[in-house]
């Protein structure tokens, strides 16, 4: 009888121990702390960069010393977060129960911070600084008024390809299982991914390499499954395009000569409108989101331009990237210029082909169907339009 009681007691103790251990596992946390100097009264946000976008985990209004400390439940697989004040961002990767210490000063925290406690966060900082440098070099090229459209596009493409080659060689393929490699795949240049899994076979290979590693090292993780799906869909898309090109013979009578990339979309009345059909006019090609802040003011400015120059030969070909078609139609019903909509939104291939880095953006096209300049190369818009109309 005594042995039976001891046996039952031992079982109870073991069960209690298991419950305690399981409870402690469920309560595992990570911590991100440090200081952001020169940011008194600023709100510092700690955000989870989920697959659906940033989600606020916590926030704090900084005091004189700028000290902060955030903690949250430890993730089962590597997860991504960021510290943010306004548009200044520090990217962070968390794996398990780490303590990451970040020290920076505002308003240069995005580039001048130090990070301790996580080699992955240090690597992500390297990648973020490289991305910022690439963005600046691309802007320098685009602002060079001496370059034509083709030269600008080719120069930007060379910069991007060189960046991708370096990142693939020294980060992604070197250690595809690391969170920093995952982070690299989703870096952006303006509104588009630097690595394009929709049309580039080489980029799809990079996604596939990281997906395979995450399947191995982090089986069943949501991010791993997402990578896997992106790689598979990309391979399917590329295969479809390749098969279509092989199956279709080009009808020479339908080739339209132009020195711009043609756009063919439905307008707000359901008619197909081609950009190249406007040859003979000076065209402002405008990429716009009606749901964005400041849209109404900008549309009023475009109305003034249109009223001023349309009779002399100016046309506006405006591409909306709004996700809601009904909203777009109501916003454009009374506009006098050509209003078309790309249902792909910010994932539009036209944004990539025209190397659009921010929205809104516009280009000026001459009467000869040649793209002349983009907005950041133009100092006096009226003078540029008047000059083109006089050609």
């Amino acid at each position: 009888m005594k042995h039976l009681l001891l046996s039952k007691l031992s079982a109870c103790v073991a069960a209690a121990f298991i419950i305690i251990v399981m409870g402690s596992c469920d309560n595992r946390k990570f911590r991100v702390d440090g200081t952001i100097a020169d940011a008194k009264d600023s709100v510092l946000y700690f955000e989870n960069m989920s697959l659906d976008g940033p989600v606020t985990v916590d926030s704090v209004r900084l005091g004189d010393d700028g000290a902060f400390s955030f903690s949250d439940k430890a993730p089962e697989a590597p997860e991504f977060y960021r510290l943010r004040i306004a548009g200044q961002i520090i990217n962070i990767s968390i794996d398990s129960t780490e303590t990451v210490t970040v020290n920076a000063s505002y308003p240069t925290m995005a580039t001048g911070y130090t990070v301790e406690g996580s080699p992955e966060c240090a690597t992500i900082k390297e990648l973020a600084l490289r991305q910022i440098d690439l963005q600046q070099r691309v802007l320098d090229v685009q602002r060079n008024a001496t370059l034509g459209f083709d030269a600008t596009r080719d120069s930007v493409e060379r910069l991007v390809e060189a960046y991708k080659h370096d990142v693939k060689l020294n980060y992604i393929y070197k250690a595809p299982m690391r969170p920093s490699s995952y982070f690299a795949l989703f870096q952006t240049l303006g509104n588009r991914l630097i690595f394009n899994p929709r049309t580039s076979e080489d980029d799809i290979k990079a996604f596939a390499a990281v997906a395979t590693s995450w399947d191995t090292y982090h089986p069943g993780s949501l991010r791993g499954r997402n990578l896997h799906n992106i790689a598979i869909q990309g391979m399917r898309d590329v295969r479809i395009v390749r098969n279509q090109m092989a199956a279709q013979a080009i009808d020479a009578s339908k080739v339209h000569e132009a020195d711009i990339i043609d756009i063919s979309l439905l307008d707000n009345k359901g008619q197909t409108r081609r950009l190249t059909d406007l040859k003979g006019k000076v065209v402002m090609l405008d990429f716009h989101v009606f749901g964005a802040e400041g849209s109404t003011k900008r549309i009023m400015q475009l109305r003034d331009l249109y009223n001023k120059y349309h009779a002399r030969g100016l046309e506006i070909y405006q591409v909306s990237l709004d996700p809601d078609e009904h909203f777009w139609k109501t916003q454009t019903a009374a506009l006098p210029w050509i209003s078309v909509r790309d249902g792909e939104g910010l994932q539009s291939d036209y944004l990539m082909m025209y190397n659009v880095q921010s929205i809104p953006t516009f280009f000026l096209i001459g009467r000869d169907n040649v793209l002349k300049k983009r907005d950041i190369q133009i100092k006096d818009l009226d003078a540029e339009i008047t000059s083109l109309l006089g050609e």
Side-chain angles (χ1 to χ4, degrees):
M1 183 69 174
K2 183 181 294 185
H3 290 296
L4 181 60
L5 289 174
L6 287 174
S7 177
K8 288 182 177 180
L9 180 61
S10 298
C12 290
V13 171
F17 177 75
I18 292 172
I19 291 171
I20 292 171
V21 170
M22 289 179 66
S24 63
C25 289
D26 289 341
N27 292 323
R28 293 179 310 130
K29 290 182 176 292
F30 68 88
R31 191 169 77 250
V32 178
D33 57 23
T35 59
I36 307 294
D38 302 323
K40 182 182 177 182
D41 293 330
S42 296
V43 177
L44 176 66
Y45 293 92
F46 183 55
E47 299 171 325
N48 173 218
M49 296 306 295
S50 74
L51 293 177
D52 295 321
V55 177
T56 301
V57 177
D58 201 354
S59 64
V60 64
R61 187 172 295 278
L62 298 173
D64 291 331
D65 60 0
F68 67 89
S69 181
F70 299 117
S71 65
D72 198 19
K73 182 179 178 180
E76 296 181 359
E79 192 53 70
F80 299 90
Y81 299 83
R82 70 182 186 183
L83 296 168
R84 180 178 65 83
I85 298 178
Q88 288 287 308
I89 291 169
I90 296 174
N91 292 291
I92 293 171
S93 168
I94 295 295
D95 188 1
S96 189
T97 56
E98 303 173 284
T99 295
V100 178
T101 300
V102 176
N103 292 298
S105 296
Y106 190 76
T108 59
M109 58 184 271
T111 56
Y113 69 94
T114 62
V115 59
E116 298 176 355
S118 170
E120 281 303 292
C121 287
T123 303
I124 285 174
K125 177 186 176 182
E126 289 179 17
L127 287 164
L129 292 178
R130 285 173 181 248
Q131 177 191 17
I132 291 170
D133 177 66
L134 173 65
Q135 179 76 56
Q136 185 57 54
R137 286 185 290 147
V138 167
L139 287 174
D140 289 343
V141 169
Q142 293 175 337
R143 289 169 178 159
N144 187 344
T146 65
L147 295 177
F149 175 73
D150 289 340
T152 299
R153 181 191 59 201
D154 293 345
S155 297
V156 169
E157 185 176 344
R158 285 194 294 271
L159 288 173
V160 172
E161 288 302 318
Y163 180 86
K164 287 162 63 172
H165 176 76
D166 176 48
V167 171
K168 286 177 185 176
L169 183 66
N170 295 306
Y171 294 91
I172 295 175
Y173 291 139
K174 189 175 182 178
M177 78 295 295
R178 293 175 59 178
S180 53
S181 295
Y182 182 105
F183 175 83
L185 289 177
F186 293 96
Q187 287 187 297
T188 60
L189 189 60
N191 293 307
R192 67 182 179 95
L193 289 172
I194 294 174
F195 291 92
N196 184 355
R198 299 178 64 192
T199 58
S200 170
E201 289 189 72
D202 286 338
D203 291 356
I204 292 169
K205 292 176 183 176
F207 273 85
V210 178
T212 301
S213 292
W214 276 58
D215 284 346
T216 302
Y217 288 89
H218 313 293
S221 70
L222 187 60
R223 291 188 181 275
R225 294 199 302 271
N226 184 55
L227 280 175
H228 202 79
N229 291 337
I230 290 173
I232 290 174
Q233 186 60 51
M235 286 184 267
R236 287 174 179 167
D237 291 344
V238 169
R239 190 180 304 117
I240 290 170
V241 171
R242 189 189 299 120
N243 291 341
Q244 288 176 340
M245 291 177 64
Q248 294 176 356
I250 298 177
D251 184 351
S253 66
K254 295 182 180 179
V255 174
H256 189 97
E257 292 187 5
D259 289 317
I260 57 173
I261 299 167
D262 199 12
I263 298 177
S264 180
L265 293 168
L266 295 178
D267 67 11
N268 50 5
K269 299 178 180 61
Q271 297 180 336
T272 299
R273 305 301 294 267
R274 298 176 65 93
L275 179 61
T276 51
D277 287 343
L278 299 175
K279 186 173 184 179
K281 296 180 179 292
V282 172
V283 180
M284 173 182 280
L285 169 60
D286 185 67
F287 292 93
H288 188 82
V289 176
F290 286 89
E293 183 178 355
S295 171
T296 301
K297 180 179 178 181
R298 188 165 184 275
I299 292 300
M300 292 176 65
Q301 293 171 341
L302 291 182
R303 274 186 178 275
D304 290 340
L305 279 175
Y306 187 86
N307 292 338
K308 190 174 182 180
Y309 296 110
H310 178 64
R312 295 175 56 186
L314 175 70
E315 185 57 81
I316 297 176
Y317 186 99
Q318 188 168 55
V319 182
S320 163
L321 303 163
D322 291 88
D324 188 327
E325 182 177 7
H326 177 72
F327 171 76
W328 162 68
K329 285 185 176 180
T330 60
Q331 293 295 306
T332 60
L335 297 182
W337 53 77
I338 298 171
S339 298
V340 298
R341 173 179 169 272
D342 191 333
E344 294 296 318
L346 296 181
Q347 300 302 315
S348 168
D349 287 338
Y350 292 124
L351 294 182
M352 178 185 67
M353 289 187 283
Y354 275 89
N355 192 35
V356 174
Q357 305 299 323
S358 62
I359 304 294
T361 291
F362 71 84
F363 300 80
L364 287 183
I365 300 167
R367 295 183 187 272
D368 53 358
N369 249 352
V370 175
L371 194 148
K372 303 299 183 181
K373 289 185 179 180
R374 62 191 305 148
D375 51 359
I376 58 176
Q377 295 177 311
I378 297 172
K379 294 181 179 179
D380 187 332
L381 181 56
D382 283 274
E384 291 288 348
I385 292 176
T386 301
S387 175
L388 291 174
L389 289 171
E391 288 184 351

